[in-house]
Amino acid sequence: MGITLDGLSSGLDTTTLIASLMKVEAIPQTLLKNKVSDTQVMASSLQALNTKIAALADLAKTAAKPAAFDVYAATSSSDKVTAVSTAGASAGQIDFVVDRLSQTQVSVTDALTVWPDSGLTLTAKDGTATTIAVPSNSLDDVVKAINAAPAGVTAMKVASGTDSGGNPQYRLQLTAASPGAAGQFSISGTTAAVTEIKTAQDAQVTLWAGTAAAQAVMSSTNTFPELLPGVAVTLASGSLGPATVTVARDDKQAAKMASDLVTALNGIFSLIAARSAVSTSTDASGKTVTATGPFTGDSTVRGVNQSILSAASMPVNGHSPSEYGVGITRDGNLLFDADKLTAALAKDPTGTKAALAEIASRVSTAAATASDKYSGTVTSQITGQQSAIRDLSDQISSWDLRLASRQAGLQSTYAALEVALGKMKSQQSWLTAQLSGLSSSSTGA
């Protein structure tokens, strides 16, 4: 039942009155909505924190591997020889002479207008022969047939002017699919003249050249993946001649690994500090207002911060991490000193690398304990916050029904009041009229 005209009988602003009453009735729901908003801020902040901690766990896990800080860099005395260190490299130096570069066999036919035979045979280095039949004497058909055959050779047609009759001529270029001597092939079964343009050959270097210990090493490509353990050497055009490859400990790479770890740790500490801060401001009336961050007073976040900080700053075998360049500041952040790490690596490389790996391992464990997607402490708290949001949202929905019912009740009550007042006014008017009639009769008598 609705009210079409406010206060028709009572003169009251019924709509405003009911709206004011509903604001009071809705206070519990408003408090629930505010709580949902606060819980959502907390859940969002925890998710941001968990993402950073999970990234730290992955980084620290990598840094905790035995070879993570055992980094070596390879350099070459020749700008035509590139040396790259990989896992397993160790300090050392080797001299060698580049004797020849790798070549892939290329053969070319004389100029042709059509293929002169019904096919051809390609024979690999190991003696495997592949006979290729072609459906016509079209050079395009020959190219397609060669490329489709498992002969380890690719073909292409190259324009080569015209013959005496003005017909276009082409030469077929045949190229081994595999580089080096292993890709060598021969052509038979055709009357077409074929010229070998490039001979199949492996690249070759000689170690300790000019000595009784001289040793030739060959590769089908210009890259020697294990010329030294953990070192790949690549030859460039014009690299023939002597070269020296030197492998030395790469302190810069080790320092970068440690620096990245410290940066990730500080990112977490900074996030926690920023969202745990208490700030004050002044409102329009001049009153001081205090605001707290979502992490303020949260024991779980505080515990995670402490466990990760302890993992990074506690001694290793009686030695402070600061001896290896990882120090702690007064405000609870970490500080990385590359010079200290370099000095420690120079003095005791084995012990320093082991200590850094131990610190990384502890950090990895602490971070994983917090961020594990199933059982992590921060993950569990996020799940709890999300569950609370769902429960509060259900309560808010229930209040929507309750408030709608209450508003309908108020509207019905005030509508009934207006009707009752209307009737009373009608009765009053009738009584007034009756009394007025009686008075007139008395006066006339």
Side-chain angles (χ1 to χ4, degrees):
M1 180 177 180
I3 302 173
T4 56
L5 293 173
D6 283 352
L8 186 61
S9 299
S10 66
L12 298 173
D13 184 354
T14 310
T15 299
T16 301
L17 181 59
I18 292 175
S20 298
L21 290 172
M22 289 307 301
K23 284 183 180 179
V24 176
E25 294 282 349
I27 288 175
Q29 187 189 50
T30 301
L31 293 175
L32 288 173
K33 288 179 177 179
N34 291 339
K35 193 169 183 179
V36 166
S37 179
D38 292 341
T39 307
Q40 287 173 333
V41 170
M42 181 62 167
S44 177
S45 297
L46 287 170
Q47 287 169 337
L49 175 62
N50 214 31
T51 297
K52 281 184 172 291
I53 296 176
L56 171 66
D58 291 339
L59 178 62
K61 185 177 180 180
T62 298
K65 293 179 180 179
F69 292 97
D70 194 23
V71 186
Y72 291 85
T75 57
S76 169
S77 63
S78 170
D79 61 356
K80 300 296 184 181
V81 176
T82 303
V84 178
S85 60
T86 59
S90 58
Q93 177 177 300
I94 193 165
D95 300 321
F96 58 88
V97 172
V98 180
D99 300 317
R100 63 172 183 259
L101 300 178
S102 171
Q103 282 191 168
T104 299
Q105 181 178 339
V106 178
S107 296
V108 177
T109 68
D110 285 350
L112 303 168
T113 55
V114 295
W115 190 251
D117 309 292
S118 60
L120 73 158
T121 298
L122 297 172
T123 303
K125 182 180 181 181
D126 64 2
T128 301
T130 302
T131 299
I132 302 170
V134 291
S136 72
N137 62 359
S138 165
L139 295 178
D140 288 328
D141 285 344
V142 175
V143 169
K144 289 178 182 178
I146 293 174
N147 290 337
V153 176
T154 60
M156 64 183 296
K157 189 175 73 171
V158 182
S160 184
T162 58
D163 62 12
S164 58
N167 299 308
Q169 291 185 308
Y170 299 92
R171 304 177 78 177
L172 296 191
Q173 176 178 295
L174 307 178
T175 305
S178 300
Q184 181 181 341
F185 64 90
S186 61
I187 306 168
S188 60
T190 178
T191 57
V194 180
T195 303
E196 189 175 279
I197 303 301
K198 288 177 64 177
T199 302
Q201 69 179 27
D202 290 337
Q204 178 178 305
V205 300
T206 300
L207 309 179
W208 312 294
T211 71
Q215 175 182 320
V217 179
M218 291 181 288
S219 172
S220 60
T221 69
N222 287 326
T223 295
F224 294 77
E226 286 287 327
L227 189 63
L228 290 174
V231 178
V233 174
T234 300
L235 312 178
S237 177
S239 60
L240 301 180
T244 299
V245 168
T246 303
V247 185
R249 192 179 67 242
D250 190 351
D251 291 345
K252 288 184 178 180
Q253 280 296 102
K256 185 179 184 306
M257 176 69 77
S259 178
D260 289 346
L261 189 61
V262 169
T263 298
L265 283 161
N266 283 336
I268 291 170
F269 302 147
S270 296
L271 176 62
I272 292 175
R275 301 196 181 184
S276 300
V278 178
S279 61
T280 58
S281 59
T282 304
D283 62 15
S285 65
K287 182 180 178 181
T288 299
V289 179
T290 301
T292 60
F295 293 160
T296 303
D298 189 274
S299 59
T300 299
V301 173
R302 186 169 58 250
V304 168
N305 188 94
Q306 186 57 48
S307 65
I308 294 177
L309 179 60
S310 296
S313 59
M314 292 293 287
V316 180
N317 297 325
H319 294 273
S320 169
S322 63
E323 296 179 32
Y324 311 112
V326 182
I328 186 169
T329 64
R330 292 181 180 178
D331 59 3
N333 284 329
L334 297 177
L335 180 67
F336 176 66
D337 189 329
D339 292 337
K340 276 192 174 183
L341 176 59
T342 300
L345 284 169
K347 181 179 179 181
D348 180 13
T350 301
T352 300
K353 288 181 284 190
L356 291 173
E358 173 61 22
I359 293 171
S361 178
R362 295 188 317 205
V363 169
S364 175
T365 299
T369 299
S371 65
D372 183 85
K373 62 181 179 179
Y374 299 113
S375 60
T377 52
V378 177
T379 304
S380 297
Q381 192 171 12
I382 291 170
T383 302
Q385 295 293 313
Q386 292 172 335
S387 177
I389 291 170
R390 288 192 296 270
D391 180 61
L392 290 168
S393 297
D394 289 342
Q395 293 182 51
I396 290 170
S397 297
S398 296
W399 267 98
D400 284 336
L401 298 175
R402 188 183 308 178
L403 291 172
S405 176
R406 177 58 175 157
Q407 184 172 6
L410 287 171
Q411 289 173 338
S412 178
T413 297
Y414 278 97
L417 174 63
E418 292 297 328
V419 171
L421 287 173
K423 288 180 179 180
M424 290 175 66
K425 283 187 175 183
S426 295
Q427 290 176 351
Q428 181 184 17
S429 297
W430 181 82
L431 288 172
T432 300
Q434 293 299 315
L435 290 172
S436 177
L438 289 173
S439 176
S440 298
S441 296
S442 299
T443 303

